[in-house]
Coordinates of all heavy atoms in Angstrom, one line a residue:
Q1 N -40.5 10.2 22.0 CA -40.8 10.2 23.4 C -42.0 9.3 23.8 O -42.2 9.0 24.9 CB -41.0 11.6 24.0 CG -42.3 12.2 23.6 CD -42.4 13.6 24.1 OE1 -41.4 14.2 24.7 NE2 -43.6 14.2 24.1
W2 N -42.9 9.0 22.8 CA -44.1 8.2 23.1 C -43.8 6.8 22.7 O -44.8 6.0 22.6 CB -45.3 8.8 22.4 CG -45.7 10.2 22.9 CD1 -45.5 11.3 22.3 CD2 -46.1 10.4 24.2 NE1 -45.9 12.4 23.1 CE2 -46.3 11.8 24.3 CE3 -46.6 9.6 25.3 CZ2 -46.8 12.4 25.5 CZ3 -47.1 10.3 26.4 CH2 -47.2 11.6 26.5
G3 N -42.6 6.4 22.3 CA -42.3 5.0 21.9 C -42.5 4.8 20.5 O -42.2 3.7 20.0
V4 N -43.0 5.8 19.8 CA -43.3 5.7 18.3 C -43.1 7.1 17.7 O -43.6 8.0 18.4 CB -44.6 5.0 18.0 CG1 -45.8 6.0 18.5 CG2 -44.8 4.9 16.5
S5 N -42.5 7.2 16.5 CA -42.4 8.5 15.9 C -43.0 8.5 14.6 O -43.2 9.6 14.0 CB -41.0 8.9 15.8 OG -40.2 8.0 15.0
R6 N -43.3 7.5 14.0 CA -44.0 7.4 12.7 C -45.2 6.4 12.7 O -45.0 5.3 13.3 CB -43.1 7.0 11.5 CG -42.1 8.0 11.2 CD -42.7 9.1 10.3 NE -41.6 9.9 9.6 CZ -41.0 10.8 10.2 NH1 -41.2 11.1 11.4 NH2 -40.1 11.5 9.5
L7 N -46.2 6.7 12.1 CA -47.4 5.8 11.9 C -47.6 5.6 10.4 O -47.7 6.5 9.7 CB -48.7 6.4 12.6 CG -48.4 6.5 14.1 CD1 -49.4 7.4 14.6 CD2 -48.4 5.2 14.7
Y8 N -47.6 4.3 10.0 CA -47.7 4.0 8.6 C -49.1 3.6 8.2 O -49.8 3.1 8.9 CB -46.7 2.9 8.3 CG -45.3 3.1 8.5 CD1 -44.8 3.3 9.8 CD2 -44.4 3.3 7.5 CE1 -43.5 3.6 10.0 CE2 -43.1 3.7 7.7 CZ -42.6 3.9 9.0 OH -41.3 4.1 9.2
L9 N -49.4 3.8 6.8 CA -50.6 3.3 6.3 C -50.4 1.7 6.1 O -49.2 1.4 5.9 CB -50.8 3.9 4.9 CG -51.2 5.5 5.0 CD1 -51.3 6.1 3.7 CD2 -52.4 5.7 5.8
S10 N -51.3 1.0 6.0 CA -51.3 -0.4 5.7 C -50.9 -0.7 4.3 O -51.3 0.2 3.4 CB -52.6 -1.2 6.0 OG -52.9 -1.0 7.4
A11 N -50.2 -1.8 4.0 CA -49.9 -2.1 2.5 C -51.2 -2.1 1.8 O -52.2 -2.8 2.2 CB -49.1 -3.4 2.5
G12 N -51.2 -1.5 0.7 CA -52.4 -1.6 -0.2 C -53.5 -0.6 0.2 O -54.5 -0.4 -0.5
E13 N -53.4 0.1 1.3 CA -54.4 1.1 1.7 C -54.3 2.4 1.0 O -53.2 2.9 0.7 CB -54.2 1.4 3.3 CG -55.2 2.4 3.8 CD -55.0 2.7 5.3 OE1 -53.9 2.2 5.8 OE2 -55.9 3.2 5.9
T14 N -55.4 2.9 0.6 CA -55.4 4.2 -0.1 C -56.5 5.1 0.6 O -57.5 4.8 0.9 CB -55.9 4.0 -1.5 OG1 -55.0 3.2 -2.3 CG2 -56.0 5.3 -2.2
V15 N -56.0 6.3 0.9 CA -56.8 7.4 1.5 C -57.0 8.4 0.3 O -56.0 9.2 0.1 CB -56.2 8.1 2.7 CG1 -57.2 9.1 3.3 CG2 -55.9 6.9 3.8
A16 N -58.1 8.4 -0.3 CA -58.4 9.3 -1.4 C -58.8 10.7 -0.9 O -59.1 10.9 0.3 CB -59.5 8.8 -2.3
S17 N -58.7 11.7 -1.8 CA -59.2 13.0 -1.5 C -60.6 13.0 -0.9 O -61.4 12.3 -1.5 CB -59.1 13.9 -2.8 OG -59.5 15.2 -2.4
G18 N -60.8 13.6 0.2 CA -62.1 13.7 0.9 C -62.3 12.6 1.8 O -63.3 12.7 2.6
Q19 N -61.4 11.7 1.9 CA -61.6 10.6 2.8 C -60.9 10.9 4.2 O -59.9 11.6 4.2 CB -61.1 9.2 2.3 CG -61.9 8.6 1.3 CD -61.4 7.2 0.9 OE1 -60.1 7.0 0.9 NE2 -62.3 6.3 0.5
Q20 N -61.4 10.2 5.3 CA -60.7 10.3 6.6 C -60.0 9.1 6.8 O -60.3 8.0 6.3 CB -61.8 10.5 7.6 CG -62.5 11.9 7.6 CD -63.5 12.0 8.7 OE1 -63.5 11.3 9.8 NE2 -64.3 13.0 8.7
K21 N -58.8 9.3 7.6 CA -58.1 8.2 8.0 C -57.9 8.3 9.6 O -57.6 9.3 10.2 CB -56.6 8.3 7.5 CG -55.6 7.4 8.0 CD -55.9 5.9 7.9 CE -54.8 5.0 8.6 NZ -55.2 3.7 8.6
I22 N -58.3 7.2 10.3 CA -58.1 7.0 11.7 C -56.8 6.2 12.0 O -56.7 5.1 11.6 CB -59.3 6.3 12.4 CG1 -60.6 7.1 12.1 CG2 -59.1 6.2 13.9 CD1 -61.9 6.4 12.5
F23 N -55.9 6.9 12.6 CA -54.7 6.2 13.0 C -54.9 5.8 14.5 O -55.0 6.6 15.4 CB -53.5 7.1 13.0 CG -53.0 7.4 11.6 CD1 -53.4 8.6 11.0 CD2 -52.0 6.7 10.9 CE1 -53.0 9.0 9.7 CE2 -51.6 7.0 9.7 CZ -52.1 8.1 9.1
N24 N -55.1 4.5 14.6 CA -55.1 3.9 16.1 C -53.8 3.4 16.4 O -53.3 2.5 15.7 CB -56.3 2.8 16.1 CG -57.6 3.4 16.0 OD1 -58.1 4.1 16.7 ND2 -58.3 2.9 14.9
F25 N -53.3 3.7 17.6 CA -51.9 3.3 17.9 C -51.7 3.3 19.5 O -52.6 3.8 20.2 CB -50.8 4.0 17.2 CG -50.8 5.5 17.4 CD1 -49.9 6.1 18.2 CD2 -51.8 6.3 16.7 CE1 -49.9 7.5 18.4 CE2 -51.8 7.7 16.9 CZ -50.8 8.3 17.7
T26 N -50.7 2.6 19.9 CA -50.3 2.5 21.3 C -49.1 3.3 21.6 O -48.1 3.2 20.8 CB -50.1 1.0 21.7 OG1 -51.3 0.3 21.4 CG2 -49.8 0.9 23.2
V27 N -49.2 4.2 22.6 CA -48.0 4.9 23.0 C -47.6 4.4 24.4 O -48.4 3.8 25.1 CB -48.3 6.5 23.0 CG1 -48.6 7.0 21.7 CG2 -49.5 6.7 24.0
T28 N -46.4 4.6 24.7 CA -45.9 4.3 26.1 C -45.5 5.6 26.7 O -44.7 6.4 26.2 CB -44.7 3.4 26.0 OG1 -45.1 2.2 25.3 CG2 -44.1 3.0 27.3
A29 N -46.0 5.8 28.0 CA -45.8 7.1 28.7 C -44.3 7.2 29.0 O -43.7 6.1 29.3 CB -46.5 7.2 30.0
P30 N -43.7 8.3 29.0 CA -42.2 8.5 29.3 C -42.0 8.0 30.7 O -42.8 7.9 31.5 CB -42.0 9.9 29.2 CG -43.0 10.4 28.2 CD -44.2 9.6 28.4
A31 N -40.7 7.6 30.9 CA -40.3 7.0 32.2 C -40.1 8.0 33.3 O -40.1 7.7 34.5 CB -39.1 6.1 32.0
T32 N -40.1 9.3 32.9 CA -39.8 10.4 33.9 C -41.2 11.2 34.0 O -41.7 11.6 33.0 CB -38.7 11.3 33.5 OG1 -37.5 10.5 33.3 CG2 -38.4 12.4 34.5
A33 N -41.5 11.5 35.3 CA -42.7 12.2 35.6 C -42.5 13.6 35.0 O -41.5 14.2 34.9 CB -43.0 12.3 37.0
G34 N -43.6 14.2 34.6 CA -43.6 15.6 34.1 C -44.7 15.8 33.1 O -45.6 15.0 32.9
T35 N -44.7 17.0 32.4 CA -45.8 17.2 31.4 C -45.1 17.1 30.0 O -44.1 17.7 29.8 CB -46.4 18.6 31.6 OG1 -46.9 18.8 32.9 CG2 -47.4 19.1 30.6
Y36 N -45.7 16.4 29.2 CA -45.2 16.1 27.8 C -46.2 16.5 26.8 O -47.5 16.3 26.9 CB -44.8 14.6 27.6 CG -43.8 14.2 28.5 CD1 -44.0 13.9 29.9 CD2 -42.4 14.1 28.0 CE1 -43.0 13.4 30.7 CE2 -41.5 13.7 28.9 CZ -41.7 13.3 30.2 OH -40.7 12.9 31.0
N37 N -45.7 17.0 25.7 CA -46.6 17.4 24.5 C -46.9 16.2 23.7 O -46.1 15.4 23.4 CB -46.0 18.5 23.7 CG -45.9 19.8 24.5 OD1 -46.7 20.1 25.3 ND2 -44.7 20.5 24.3
F38 N -48.1 16.2 23.2 CA -48.6 15.1 22.3 C -49.2 15.8 21.0 O -50.2 16.5 21.1 CB -49.7 14.3 23.0 CG -50.3 13.2 22.2 CD1 -49.7 11.9 22.3 CD2 -51.3 13.3 21.2 CE1 -50.2 10.8 21.5 CE2 -51.8 12.3 20.5 CZ -51.3 11.0 20.6
K39 N -48.4 15.7 20.0 CA -48.8 16.5 18.8 C -48.2 15.7 17.6 O -47.1 15.2 17.6 CB -48.2 17.9 18.9 CG -48.7 18.9 17.8 CD -48.4 20.3 18.0 CE -46.9 20.6 18.2 NZ -46.6 22.1 18.2
W40 N -49.0 15.7 16.5 CA -48.7 14.9 15.2 C -48.9 15.7 14.0 O -49.7 16.6 14.0 CB -49.4 13.5 15.3 CG -49.2 12.8 16.4 CD1 -49.7 12.9 17.7 CD2 -48.2 11.7 16.6 NE1 -49.1 12.0 18.6 CE2 -48.2 11.3 17.9 CE3 -47.4 11.0 15.7 CZ2 -47.4 10.2 18.4 CZ3 -46.6 10.1 16.1 CH2 -46.6 9.6 17.5
R41 N -48.3 15.3 12.9 CA -48.5 16.0 11.6 C -48.3 15.0 10.5 O -47.4 14.1 10.6 CB -47.5 17.2 11.5 CG -47.7 18.1 10.3 CD -46.8 19.3 10.4 NE -47.0 20.2 9.3 CZ -46.1 21.0 8.8 NH1 -44.9 21.2 9.5 NH2 -46.3 21.7 7.8
M42 N -48.9 15.2 9.4 CA -48.9 14.4 8.2 C -47.6 14.7 7.5 O -47.1 15.9 7.5 CB -50.0 14.5 7.3 CG -51.3 13.8 7.8 SD -51.1 12.0 7.9 CE -50.7 11.5 6.3
L43 N -47.0 13.7 6.8 CA -45.8 13.9 5.9 C -45.8 12.9 4.9 O -46.4 11.9 4.9 CB -44.5 13.9 6.7 CG -44.1 12.5 7.2 CD1 -42.6 12.3 7.1 CD2 -44.6 12.3 8.6

């Protein structure tokens, strides 16, 4: 619904135990007015 459903790590990137990862990305607002949930989870 935000124009993207998965965010990938860069080729060769490693996030070791204890490290933080910032996912910077662009979303596109849905075409229909309303209230939409914005929620993500690692997999």
Side-chain angles (χ1 to χ4, degrees):
Q1 78 180 9
W2 296 108
V4 62
S5 61
R6 288 279 196 282
L7 299 161
Y8 295 75
L9 298 173
S10 300
E13 181 179 12
T14 298
V15 181
S17 181
Q19 286 186 326
Q20 292 184 13
K21 166 64 180 171
I22 301 171
F23 289 94
N24 290 302
F25 56 107
T26 302
V27 297
T28 301
T32 304
T35 301
Y36 294 85
N37 295 320
F38 183 90
K39 188 166 60 169
W40 300 81
R41 188 175 178 201
M42 286 297 299
L43 70 143

